[in-house]
Amino acid sequence: MPKLIIDNNEIEVEEGLTVLQACEMAGAEIPRFCFHERLSIAGNCRMCLVEMERAPKPIASCAMPVADGMVIKTNSEKIIKAREGVMEFLLINHPLDCPICDQGGECDLQDQAMGYGSDRSRYIEGKRAVKDKDLGPLVATVMTRCIHCTRCIRFATEIAGVPELGATGRGEHMEVGTYVEEALTSELSGNLIDLCPVGALTSKPYSFNARPWELTKTESIDVMDALGSNIRVDTRGNEVLRVVPRNHDDINQEWISDKTRFACDGLRRQRLDQPFVRRRGKLEPSNWEDAIKLCANKIKNTDPLKIASIAGDQVDCETMFSTKLLLKKIGCTNVDCLQDGAKLDQKVRSSYIFNTKIAGIDEADAILIVGSNPRLESPVLNARIRSRFLKGGLQIGLIGGAIDLTYPYQHLGDEPQLLEQFIAGKNKFSKVLKKAKNPMIILGSGAINREDGAQILHNARKIAETTGMIADNWNGFNVLQSAASRVGGLDIGFVPEKLFNLEDMELIYLIGADEIDFNKTKNAFVVYQGHHGDNGAHHADVILPGAAYTEKSATFVNLEGRPQRTQKAVFPLGQAKEDWRIIRALSGAIDKPLPFDDLSDLRKLLSDTVPSFGSMNEIITNAWGDFGLEGPMTNRRISNISVNFFMSDPICRASITMAECAKAQSDRLAREAV
């Protein structure tokens, strides 16, 4: 390991680091604009200059690898003067419009200008002006502010895998933008806003809404997919104004999807803020007492075997657990968290989680994707696969429809019988898996949501066993869940003891379930508990308004089996209540009170019943076992999910921003079809 002397202090660092990283490990603060730990090195801005012994001039520390015996000075008079010179050049053409810039208060240029800028400029000529670029409904541009750090270009090309941004011209005439005037097509485009060190790229929906110092910041968890991205919810008063990522190297690193970031405007639209009861065929406003009383009477007077409860994709674990307890008290076991009909085996935990963990993708050297489109089901996870591919030594095979995943792969076909070929070792890619040190399979919604999903699950398990995916320190069997509630619901056992048919039910209790076939509920009394007036609310006889994920402290388990909690950022709208409170009140109304009165008691009961909930943010090791159903598969081809990425849940469907994104996508596809 190289030893360096930095500001008269000796430090030992790992091989392969840059001088900039070594300096920061030594406690020195190095200003930078173009450098970013997760992007390739550009060395454009020259702000990170340091003095190195025997070097004829200051060096760009971001582009210089460490070497044994280096002597570095980070704060000498020579270096400070050099950085001041760089800052003066950067500010020559910058408009200095901080008072009206949305980046104000969070601007790297603003911060560093305080340290290295001057109170006046020696430049008296006219400033450069650059035409703004239209990047679609999400990212606003003021390109005159651009300092040509190229972070946006490198992110789009390297991380997102959609090389739609580039630079034209040279020197002062250089411009960053799209080569063709089109909206960005990446599901991760909003991360450009965080990466931009100046106000050239800002959030279009958030523009001119607030200043950062006006916002209350709450750390939370995303529920738009099953990844469990760590986020920060920024609020003013009782309104969520924006969502930004928090760093978690093992989950989302520092990226979030556009849906996570921009769908927050849907949190206040089409909301259920008071109880409703259907009278004379029309939903009319009611009150909590009457609504709960009506539900209680229906439950009391209905055969428990004719009652069912379905949980939606964004339901928290506390709500599902309390609902299951309530129905068990009345003798009902008809509960289900698989509203899409996924054929999963709740008895074996390793059969429905991402066993390698998300960070395990970095170690994989062969991946077989079956019936999944990771780019739409989990864009951040897909970016991780791409990042691993770019490092080299990774082969990827796909069974399903041919799609653009932002990285090359071998399209093996879409016939279910290909799985049997893998088991028999007759497929060329099966040899790739057997030779790999850390092979993995990713099973997606397009495979497990079929009528023969249990058989596909069985065959996928056999592939994992016959190709060496199951070893002492490696479990390469992965299910890519797309619903935030799914793993938690399966852990709790929110699945039926015996299969039931919704058409046979007389009372159906829906908890945020909006994706079921409502033709099967026509003959039943439907109670809908949720936060948005979506499909479920339209078919309900009673509506009990619940809280959205930003309005409660709740537990969710991500796709790798890691329990995490959201935090209350705002209060529920109107008369809406936290979901577990509604269930507790209902239990009292039917004279079957649940054994808890507050959230802490509920969580203790949950962790006592299901031990995996005992430790937050920890992943337990799961035993391997037999799962799936042996038998013939249908001849129907394996397809990938065809859901509209921007319209996948009630919050997104209520969002104006997501509607604009969906329209931009449809307009682009229409133009391409001509």
Side-chain angles (χ1 to χ4, degrees):
M1 295 175 66
K3 291 183 179 179
L4 299 81
I5 296 175
I6 299 174
D7 293 336
N8 299 320
N9 297 315
E10 188 176 76
I11 183 174
E12 190 175 27
V13 299
E14 295 179 9
E15 191 77 43
L17 294 182
T18 64
V19 171
L20 186 150
Q21 291 169 313
C23 289
E24 295 206 326
M25 291 175 66
E29 185 177 347
I30 307 295
R32 87 291 299 270
F33 291 114
C34 66
F35 177 79
H36 192 278
E37 288 81 358
R38 304 193 194 277
L39 302 177
S40 62
I41 294 169
N44 291 338
C45 72
R46 323 306 287 184
M47 197 66 202
C48 65
L49 294 174
V50 297
E51 190 175 355
M52 184 173 72
E53 193 175 75
R54 296 190 298 274
K57 59 182 181 180
I59 64 165
S61 60
C62 70
M64 178 66 70
V66 295
D68 196 52
M70 279 184 169
V71 179
I72 305 294
K73 293 181 180 178
T74 67
N75 57 1
S76 65
E77 186 178 341
K78 179 180 180 181
I79 289 304
I80 291 173
K81 192 169 181 63
R83 291 173 184 170
E84 288 175 347
V86 171
M87 179 58 67
E88 185 174 12
F89 274 113
L90 287 175
L91 295 178
I92 280 176
N93 284 310
H94 199 80
L96 301 179
D97 55 352
C98 302
I100 62 165
C101 179
D102 261 329
Q103 195 83 352
E106 300 174 318
C107 179
D108 292 348
L109 181 64
Q110 199 175 50
D111 295 340
Q112 294 180 34
M114 292 296 293
Y116 300 100
S118 174
D119 62 344
R120 66 198 66 196
S121 174
R122 292 179 288 179
Y123 190 77
I124 60 173
E125 289 82 359
K127 290 179 178 279
R128 173 197 65 182
V130 181
K131 183 182 177 183
D132 294 340
K133 310 296 191 295
D134 184 7
L135 302 184
L138 301 179
V139 182
T141 62
V142 185
M143 301 312 295
T144 302
R145 299 172 185 158
C146 179
I147 62 171
H148 304 154
C149 71
T150 70
R151 279 187 181 182
C152 56
I153 297 173
R154 285 175 283 148
F155 174 84
T157 304
E158 298 165 12
I159 307 296
V162 183
E164 296 170 335
L165 287 173
T168 56
R170 298 187 62 177
E172 186 179 73
H173 302 292
M174 177 178 171
E175 293 188 22
V176 174
T178 53
Y179 301 110
V180 180
E181 194 88 355
E182 287 279 359
L184 298 175
T185 60
S186 171
E187 295 78 17
L188 301 169
S189 63
N191 293 289
L192 298 174
I193 298 163
D194 300 328
L195 284 170
C196 184
V198 298
L201 304 177
T202 58
S203 172
K204 190 174 284 187
Y206 174 73
S207 292
F208 309 117
N209 277 340
R211 288 299 195 182
W213 53 85
E214 301 174 344
L215 304 175
T216 301
K217 301 171 176 62
T218 306
E219 295 185 350
S220 192
I221 304 298
D222 173 50
V223 301
M224 296 299 171
D225 57 33
L227 192 74
S229 298
N230 285 220
I231 60 173
R232 193 189 77 209
V233 181
D234 290 354
T235 62
R236 184 176 60 190
N238 207 43
E239 183 177 4
V240 176
L241 292 183
R242 67 176 182 178
V243 172
V244 295
R246 287 190 293 127
N247 188 77
H248 196 306
D249 287 341
D250 292 336
I251 302 177
N252 59 304
Q253 297 177 315
E254 57 191 273
W255 319 122
I256 54 175
S257 74
D258 289 346
K259 188 162 54 176
T260 301
R261 185 186 298 270
F262 295 109
C264 59
D265 65 326
L267 289 167
R268 293 187 67 86
R269 292 176 54 81
Q270 300 180 18
R271 286 297 302 271
L272 301 173
D273 58 359
Q274 67 179 100
F276 286 85
V277 173
R278 190 176 296 277
R279 298 186 180 96
R280 299 175 294 279
K282 184 180 178 181
L283 284 169
E284 297 178 356
S286 183
N287 56 64
W288 274 109
E289 185 179 358
D290 290 345
I292 290 289
K293 187 177 179 180
L294 177 58
C295 293
N297 288 335
K298 285 289 182 180
I299 293 173
K300 288 179 179 179
N301 296 313
T302 305
D303 181 355
L305 300 178
K306 297 291 184 179
I307 300 175
S309 179
I310 310 294
D313 293 348
Q314 297 177 339
V315 181
D316 59 272
C317 296
E318 290 89 350
T319 301
M320 287 186 284
F321 182 69
S322 55
T323 303
K324 184 182 178 182
L325 287 180
L326 174 61
L327 294 181
K328 189 176 180 180
K329 276 181 172 287
I330 64 173
C332 173
T333 60
N334 300 326
V335 296
D336 203 352
C337 64
L338 307 172
Q339 63 170 342
D340 58 0
K343 309 299 188 297
L344 294 169
D345 192 340
Q346 179 264 338
K347 297 175 184 173
V348 182
R349 196 169 191 251
S350 56
S351 72
Y352 58 81
I353 67 168
F354 207 89
N355 289 284
T356 58
K357 306 180 188 61
I358 299 165
I361 293 172
D362 301 339
E363 303 173 27
D365 48 1
I367 301 177
L368 175 63
I369 301 173
V370 182
S372 176
N373 184 347
R375 181 173 175 181
L376 296 184
E377 293 178 67
S378 186
V380 176
L381 184 141
N382 191 66
R384 196 144 193 164
I385 298 175
R386 173 175 169 79
S387 176
R388 172 63 188 91
F389 176 82
L390 293 178
K391 291 176 182 176
L394 174 66
Q395 296 190 66
I396 304 170
L398 173 69
I399 297 177
I403 47 179
D404 180 9
L405 291 177
T406 72
Y407 43 81
Y409 60 85
Q410 298 181 41
H411 187 221
L412 306 174
D414 55 7
E415 300 86 5
Q417 287 69 33
L418 286 168
L419 302 177
E420 296 172 342
Q421 293 182 18
F422 271 88
I423 298 170
K426 296 179 179 179
N427 192 284
K428 290 182 179 180
F429 201 81
S430 64
K431 298 176 182 177
V432 173
L433 295 175
K434 288 179 179 179
K435 289 180 181 179
K437 183 180 178 182
N438 293 321
M440 73 163 58
I441 184 171
I442 298 177
L443 205 61
S445 302
I448 57 178
N449 292 3
R450 298 157 49 101
E451 63 274 15
D452 58 351
Q455 287 79 13
I456 289 180
L457 188 67
H458 168 83
N459 287 327
R461 173 176 66 83
K462 298 295 284 186
I463 291 173
E465 293 171 346
T466 57
T467 57
M469 293 183 186
I470 312 301
D472 292 339
N473 298 316
W474 182 259
N475 185 338
F477 182 87
N478 300 308
V479 176
L480 180 53
Q481 303 287 1
S482 55
S485 64
R486 182 65 50 80
V487 174
L490 291 168
D491 284 349
I492 291 166
F494 204 84
V495 291
E497 292 184 2
K498 294 181 179 179
L499 292 178
F500 63 90
N501 193 335
L502 276 181
E503 293 177 325
D504 299 331
M505 299 296 110
E506 295 176 6
L507 192 155
I508 300 174
Y509 199 102
L510 301 177
I511 311 172
D514 297 279
E515 318 301 334
I516 65 171
D517 183 0
F518 285 97
N519 289 321
K520 297 180 178 180
T521 68
K522 290 181 178 180
N523 300 322
F525 185 87
V526 179
V527 180
Y528 181 82
Q529 179 179 321
H531 43 77
H532 274 77
D534 207 73
N535 296 328
H538 291 306
H539 293 84
D541 296 291
V542 177
I543 293 175
L544 306 176
Y549 76 102
T550 56
E551 300 163 1
K552 58 186 175 183
S553 175
T555 305
F556 292 87
V557 185
N558 79 341
L559 55 81
E560 58 183 353
R562 185 193 303 267
Q564 301 181 110
R565 280 183 184 150
T566 64
Q567 298 299 327
K568 180 185 287 188
V570 294
F571 291 101
L573 288 184
Q575 301 177 37
K577 299 180 183 294
E578 295 176 32
D579 294 277
W580 71 267
R581 293 183 183 276
I582 300 173
I583 301 298
R584 177 62 180 85
L586 185 58
S587 73
I590 63 172
D591 302 320
K592 303 281 187 182
L594 294 174
F596 56 83
D597 293 314
D598 56 37
L599 188 57
S600 60
D601 288 344
L602 170 56
R603 285 174 172 167
K604 186 178 185 306
L605 184 61
L606 174 59
S607 61
D608 290 343
T609 309
V610 187
S612 60
F613 287 93
S615 300
M616 290 295 103
N617 204 37
E618 292 185 9
I619 302 174
I620 63 173
T621 303
N622 301 291
W624 188 248
D626 291 339
F627 53 84
L629 185 64
E630 188 173 3
M633 296 174 291
T634 68
N635 292 323
R636 186 164 67 88
R637 297 179 182 274
I638 296 175
S639 59
N640 313 308
I641 63 165
S642 58
V643 65
N644 187 327
F645 176 76
F646 301 108
M647 295 284 139
S648 59
D649 60 77
I651 298 175
C652 290
R653 289 192 284 268
S655 166
I656 294 176
T657 305
M658 293 295 97
E660 291 174 350
C661 291
K663 184 179 184 303
Q665 183 185 59
S666 105
D667 291 345
R668 183 178 65 254
L669 293 174
R671 287 193 298 272
E672 291 174 354
V674 174

